[in-house]
Every structure is written in C-alpha cells, then in structure tokens.
Amino acid sequence: MARVRLWVELLIPDTTATTTIHALRRMYGARVSKLRRRDYYEFEVSGDADSFCDRIKKVDVLVNANKHMATTMKDDEKPEGKLGEEDEVCVLVQERGENATGLMSTLRERLGFSEIKSMRRGVFWCIGVGGDRCLADEIARKLLHNRHYQEYTII
C-alpha cells in the first residue's frame, strides 16, 4: 500500500489567505511577510501509485483546472514543486479522526477510485516568518486551528 499526498493551490487570489495575512500583520507586524494556503489530501492507495497520481490531479471534485494547480507526492519522492520557500515555515491543520469519509465515498463509488483505502484532508499553510518555527507555532495555536476539534503539525 502506498501513501500519496496532493496539494491544491488557487491560481486566483485567495481571499481566505488575504484576510488571514491582514489579521496576522495586525497581530505580529512586519514579522509576518507572506502567507499561502493550500488544500491538502492524503491517500492510502493499493495498486499503481503513479497512475493514481496522474488521475487524481484531474478530478474536478478536488482540482478545478481553471483555477487550481495540483502537486502530488508519493512517500518515496520529493514534491514536483517547492512546498514552501526558504523563509517560510509550513503548518498542516487537520481535523482529528476521520475527516473525509464523504469525499472518499464520492471518489470511490461515483468516480471509480476503488484503490483508495483511506483518506485524510486538511489545510496546508506556508507562513513567511523568516524561518522562525516558534513564531509559526504561536500563529498556528492562536489563529490557524481550533483546539477543540483540530490538530496541527509544523512541517
């Protein structure tokens, strides 16, 4: 069984990230230079992971070709593009437990992705804080996640 990760980034302006960076700049000033947000999906798949990567990037339920760019990565490889720039610290925010059962059901039953055995999703934030992991951790704790039902990981 292989693990495949998919990042989906907006090509058009991201209003959620824009609103968040404005709040962060009011909270932390110039210490936060930029912010990017991506949707994150993690799949456990049986069968050919390469074929799955090619097919999953074309699924309009996850990736709208007119406004999204998708990047995939298998466990044994580096991502096709940089996930975060040198001065960025990335934070993955996910709901606790199984959080994508409805979407997984749609992919498996309606769209023919029967090789998907499990799936998780989340939000992948890249924060321009000059590489300051402590500041990124504080930002994640205070603003990017809800401690009652979500968890976060500094990448």
Side-chain angles (χ1 to χ4, degrees), residues 6 12-13 36 43-44 51 76 78 83 117 130 145 149:
L6 170 70
I12 61 175
R36 292 184 301 136
F43 304 94
E44 290 287 334
S51 170
D76 60 343
K78 295 187 186 227
L83 295 179
K117 301 305 174 197
H145 98 292
Y149 72 96

Side-chain angles (χ1 to χ4, degrees), residues 4-148:
V4 173
R5 290 175 267 183
L6 170 70
W7 289 267
V8 179
E9 185 171 13
L10 277 170
L11 296 172
I12 61 175
D14 184 347
T15 56
T16 301
T18 301
T19 303
T20 305
I21 189 73
H22 289 304
L24 288 173
R25 285 192 177 139
R26 280 193 297 276
M27 293 169 72
Y28 299 99
R31 294 180 0 185
V32 180
S33 62
K34 59 188 164 191
L35 180 77
R36 292 184 301 136
R37 181 180 68 100
R38 295 182 182 131
D39 291 326
Y40 172 83
Y41 302 93
E42 184 178 306
F43 304 94
E44 290 287 334
V45 297
S46 61
D48 183 17
D50 290 321
S51 170
F52 178 81
C53 286
D54 292 337
R55 290 176 35 232
I56 200 69
K57 286 197 272 188
K58 297 174 185 162
V59 173
D60 65 347
V61 173
L62 303 176
V63 182
N64 179 335
N66 295 316
K67 64 179 185 175
H68 290 120
M69 178 180 66
T71 303
T72 57
M73 185 173 88
K74 296 180 296 188
D75 261 349
D76 60 343
E77 67 184 10
K78 295 187 186 227
E80 296 167 358
K82 279 185 152 182
L83 295 179
E85 295 177 18
E86 213 169 285
D87 66 334
E88 292 179 327
V89 176
C90 296
V91 177
L92 175 61
V93 178
Q94 294 179 296
E95 290 182 18
R96 292 187 183 109
E98 281 296 318
N99 66 351
T101 53
L103 182 56
M104 185 174 75
S105 174
T106 299
L107 290 170
R108 290 181 72 189
E109 295 166 19
R110 264 194 27 214
L111 300 174
F113 284 90
S114 58
E115 65 267 37
I116 298 174
K117 301 305 174 197
S118 68
M119 175 182 174
R120 289 201 65 189
R121 70 176 164 191
V123 179
F124 195 80
W125 298 91
C126 291
I127 312 164
V129 288
D132 186 346
R133 295 175 70 82
C134 291
L135 180 57
D137 183 66
E138 183 179 331
I139 290 169
R141 259 187 301 109
K142 289 185 174 179
L143 187 67
L144 299 181
H145 98 292
N146 183 323
R147 64 186 171 95
H148 298 291

